Every structure is written in structure tokens, then in C-alpha cells.
Amino acid sequence: MTAIHDIRRQMIITLHETPGIGWHAIHKALNHQLWQKSFWSLDDLLAIGLRQNQAQSIVGRNTGRPWIESEGLSESVGRVNAVVLTPYDPEYPRALREIAQPPWVLYARGRLELLQRPGIAVVGTRVPTAYGRHSATELVQELSAAGLTVVSGLARGIDSKAHEAALFGKGGTIAVLPTPIDTCYPSENLSLFHKIAEHGLLITETPIGTPLHPGQFPLRNRIIAGLTIGTVVVEGAKRSGSLITAQHALEMNRELFAIPGPISSPKSEGPNDLIKRGEAKLISGVSDIIDELNWLPAALDVYAGMDAAGSSEPAKNEALLTDEERKIIAFLRDQPLSINELHELSAIPFGHLNSVLLNLCIKRKIELQPGSIYMAL
């Protein structure tokens, strides 16, 4: 089992680091158990449904050698004190396993334990007003003090303010990069980049050596939304990049929050419109978020106890479980199930069921397996 686990993991990394190979190509390779072949011919790759240019890129990269011996980026990743995570690694974030197309590979540098904590995304314009800067800083300080990990994209403006305010708080901060793990963008945030690597966590799905291009930003935004239980939009114009993250959050059944701003400010058009359309809940502080997510205090208590004890495992205290959580665990003790099967059995509304399952994963009562199947621990 370990050997199969390792070779599948290596195949995923090898394909991910091959130019021109995307999410669906790797999915096809896994479905057809391509790891069982030592050599991949052009015909092998075309037979599983890859395009001609993709197959040629893979064959050209391996140049006649067994693919398992191909030169990857592990040495370069190690040189910058980073690690490589795939869905077959226990450190891979549970929240990302739930999304439609979770990253096959994550490069991470810093405090990996932050990937397992409840997180809130805070995003906004790159050119905030004084009101936006103040609102973001004040909210993030409250979030981090409550034990929530603050996730953002290391961009100028609101993202940077969010990271700075959370960096040394209880919850810490995660910066999701559009660039490789050894590259800071924008360059003016280099000092913050290094601080987060030391005291927080940097993650990206972009392989080392990949030049920056516009398509990496929406991919980065989907990870920000998927990694968290909810997203807060502070300021942003109607076509702001932060609204792309908000859209991802909605599509992933994550909570969406917005801080309202003056109706006369173009920078507040984005969050104000989200609130007006009923897509985002109006908030003014962390209490509004906790009121909306009634399961969150119990999850934060688990991590508070874990931090106080210096333990790496949350306390398994049945008293912290709600009736709905006990119901889900009872179903999963019979057999592993998908979220759709649990929805049918439990009759819990789908959006709320997502929160219940995430909370149980945080409490280490259940685990999300590859294939989006939940099992009891």
C-alpha cells in the first residue's frame, strides 16, 4: 500500500511539473493507473485521452528514461526550505479536498499546521482607502485573536494589511502565491514574504521556474476561497480581483461576508453590491462571523486547548459534538460515504452539511479521503 501511495504521489508531481499538463490530464493518468507503467510511450499517453502536444511534452521531458527517474524540482524546493504536498499526504489541507478541482500539488514553506486550522479569507482592492485599511486591520486583529487563521494573496493593499495584522496573532496567516514558492510578487512585499515564511505559511501550486502570467491569479484566488470556511471582502470595485475570490467562495458553498462602505466610494461598490444582492452577509466585526457559524466556537475551543497543551492532536471530547455531528459520525461508522450520500441520509441542508463535515475534520473525528469520500476515525 505504501509503495502504491508513493508511486502515485511521484506520478502526480512529475506530471504537474511538466509544461502544458493541467488538472484534467493528471486526473486521466490517475483514472487509468498510469503509474503501473515504468515507461510512457506516446501511444500510451494518447490512449488515455491526452492531447498530442501534452503527450509529446511528457515524452520529451523523460527522454527515454523511466518516468520515475525524471529530474523533478524536489532539490530546488528543498533549497528554499519548502515541501511538496499532494492529496495523498496527511498534511494536505482537508478543506481543499472538498472543492471540485483541488490542486494536485501544493508547495509549502513555513508552519504546515496552519493548513488544518479554521481559516477566513480577507481580500480587497490593491489601492484601499484609509477606511479600508483601518477596517481590514481591525477585523483581522480580531479574527487572529479569536484563533482563526487569516488567508490572503500577498497582493498590495488589503491583502498586505491582512497578513501584517494576523502575522503574530494566535491564528497566524497563510499567503497563497500566484508565483513559485521561491518568488515574491509584488517585489515590494519581499520583507513581508520572508516574515510570513518564518512566522506563518506560504503556499502555491505553481512549480519553481514558472514565469508569471495572468492566468495564475484566478487559480490562486480559487485556493484562497477553497482553503477557508468563509471569505470577507473589504473593499473592491465592481470588476475587482477580490470579487473573483468571492465568486469562487459562492460556488464552493463557502460563507461570504462583506464590510459595507460609503455609497459614494467606488472602492466600496463591490462589497456593497454583494450585500445588496444577498450574496454576502454584512459584517462589522468578528462577532458577526461567529454568530453566523454557530459551530465555530467549539472548533476554536478545540484548538485553544491544543495550543495550551502543546499537543499535535485535538482533544477527542465527545461533549464538544453537536447532535448533527454525532449523527454524521454514526453514519460514517457504518461505512465511508460521499457528501451527497450523507446529505440524503441526514437531511441536513447541503450548505450547512459542508460546515458540519469541515468541523468534524477539524476535530479529527472524520477524514476526507481521495475521491471526496468521508470516513470515521
Side-chain angles (χ1 to χ4, degrees), residues 209-231:
T210 305
L212 184 64
H213 61 84
Q216 290 164 339
F217 290 95
L219 291 175
R220 182 270 311 272
N221 293 346
R222 113 185 177 282
I223 295 177
I224 292 173
L227 194 58
T228 54
I229 58 178
T231 293

Side-chain angles (χ1 to χ4, degrees), residues 189-201:
N189 277 346
L190 186 59
S191 175
L192 180 57
F193 174 89
H194 288 304
K195 287 177 183 176
I196 296 173
E198 183 176 357
H199 302 286
L201 180 69

